[in-house]
Amino acid sequence: MVKRGEIWLVNLDPVVGSEIRKTRPCVVVSPAETHNHLRTVLVAPMTTAGREAPFRIEVTHGGRQGLILLDQVRAVDKTRLAKRLGAVPKETLAATLRALQELFAE
């Protein structure tokens, strides 16, 4: 079962325009309750090459510094989830969820 805060390797291709591409780690941001009823999961891609910006959360995973790209959140079919890689720390998940609330607020 997929859980919020887990990091999954996700195949994001095909993409259009400036959407983030390739197979890369992503953080699951949707709640587990939705995963029991839907075939899709909301994920935020991670990168080690991006630049800091509003709504990008710093993260360390696998000994590498990077960013969670909340400006690139997308719904993906569960078949795109290739492999579970771990989970973000509780503090990082809390910061991510706070930023998402702010991003989607009025």
Side-chain angles (χ1 to χ4, degrees):
M1 175 158 54
V2 179
K3 296 180 183 171
R4 178 185 267 170
E6 289 182 338
I7 301 170
W8 282 79
L9 192 61
V10 180
N11 178 4
L12 299 173
D13 289 329
V15 297
V16 175
S18 51
E19 296 172 347
I20 196 154
R21 60 189 73 241
K22 72 182 184 177
T23 300
R24 66 174 59 245
C26 295
V27 177
V28 175
V29 296
S30 51
E33 299 82 38
T34 63
H35 310 150
N36 297 333
H37 300 286
L38 303 173
R39 295 181 56 179
T40 56
V41 177
L42 292 176
V43 298
M46 296 168 58
T47 186
T48 57
R51 56 187 160 88
E52 290 185 25
F55 307 110
R56 292 187 170 186
I57 307 297
E58 292 183 8
V59 65
T60 301
H61 177 68
R64 298 181 74 185
Q65 295 274 122
L67 297 167
I68 300 170
L69 308 178
L70 298 181
D71 55 302
Q72 291 279 340
V73 169
R74 63 189 274 194
V76 297
D77 191 275
K78 288 180 186 174
T79 60
R80 288 184 179 263
L81 305 178
K83 179 181 178 184
R84 185 183 181 279
L85 301 176
V88 296
K90 290 181 183 182
E91 302 80 24
T92 303
L93 179 58
T96 299
L97 296 177
R98 280 192 306 273
L100 283 170
Q101 284 179 317
E102 189 175 325
L103 182 65
F104 290 105
E106 291 183 43

